[in-house]
Amino acid sequence: MALVRVTNVDVLHNPAKFTDPLFFRVTFECMEPLHDDTEWKLVYVGSAESERYDQELDSVLVGPVNVGVNRFDFQVDAPDPAKIPPQELCGVTVVILTCSYKDQEFVRVGYYVNVDYANPELRDNPPPEPIVAELERSILDSKPRVTRFHIDWSGDGSGVEQPPEQQEVEDDDVMREEDDDDDAEEEEEGDEEEEDMYAHEEHVEQLVN
């Protein structure tokens, strides 16, 4: 059973200028006391073709985590446009919020993002070189894609019966309750094998679909 369950993520100050910080308010529930901090990261996907354009915008340690409902604000600087291929600066991409415990990622919340000019004239006639100051970023916060992984919460190997192998549970809504029945959860996982969102050849299209 997961000891931490994300119950809600609010995307604040959205839409915003491309150069504005990204601001998330994360709410999660802790079932048992945790001995270590949780680590949260935010990654901006710069290109659907290669993960080398991914930017880890920031990471933060949250702890000690109390049993019950916890909430924190996560504000990060905008991605560096110079590290994004100019031809992919506009259009649809992905931003991914992850959380790990004892160096094991147990949840990933992905949103797809639309970047375009706020000015209708620039939208209709985009300049050859992107004008970053005129770009607007809109995160589709109504349709997050949540991936959960089974991890060893003890961190000493005693909590797993087999060698570590991540199992994913795909949900369309962060607010959906996890299934308390492990067997039912395993059946859901076996229905369809999803490609990892870091399989960059098609991961943007997977999130959109």
Side-chain angles (χ1 to χ4, degrees), residues 104 150-154 156-167 186 189:
Q104 304 169 91
H150 293 291
I151 67 168
D152 175 21
W153 291 92
S154 66
D156 59 8
S158 62
V160 292
E161 299 178 356
Q162 299 177 353
E165 180 178 352
Q166 290 178 330
Q167 298 175 315
E186 291 174 2
E189 293 165 0

Side-chain angles (χ1 to χ4, degrees), residues 20-32:
D20 287 349
L22 291 85
F23 196 177
F24 294 82
R25 179 164 293 156
V26 182
T27 304
F28 63 94
E29 185 176 6
C30 184
M31 310 304 178
E32 296 180 14

Side-chain angles (χ1 to χ4, degrees), residues 40-169:
W40 301 78
K41 297 180 181 181
L42 194 67
V43 176
Y44 187 90
V45 175
S47 172
E49 301 300 323
S50 173
E51 64 183 275
R52 70 189 181 96
Y53 295 109
D54 286 5
Q55 296 183 47
E56 183 179 313
L57 302 182
D58 203 355
S59 64
V60 62
L61 296 176
V62 176
V65 177
N66 298 319
V67 174
V69 177
N70 297 264
R71 181 180 294 109
F72 72 97
D73 291 343
F74 193 12
Q75 180 173 314
V76 304
D77 290 336
D80 183 352
K83 297 180 179 179
I84 301 173
Q87 69 276 13
E88 298 197 55
L89 198 54
C90 294
V92 177
T93 186
V94 176
V95 64
I96 302 170
L97 175 70
T98 72
C99 188
S100 301
Y101 183 69
K102 294 183 179 291
D103 296 321
Q104 304 169 91
E105 182 182 336
F106 64 87
V107 67
R108 179 182 304 169
V109 185
Y111 299 90
Y112 58 138
V113 183
N114 187 59
V115 178
D116 207 342
Y117 291 103
N119 187 318
E121 293 183 4
L122 290 175
R123 280 202 305 267
D124 295 338
N125 300 285
E129 293 294 327
I131 305 175
V132 176
E134 297 291 335
L135 291 176
E136 183 179 70
R137 178 190 66 234
S138 180
I139 300 174
L140 186 59
D141 56 352
S142 62
K143 292 186 178 180
R145 186 180 185 90
V146 181
T147 306
R148 295 186 177 93
F149 303 90
H150 293 291
I151 67 168
D152 175 21
W153 291 92
S154 66
D156 59 8
S158 62
V160 292
E161 299 178 356
Q162 299 177 353
E165 180 178 352
Q166 290 178 330
Q167 298 175 315
E168 302 181 13
V169 179

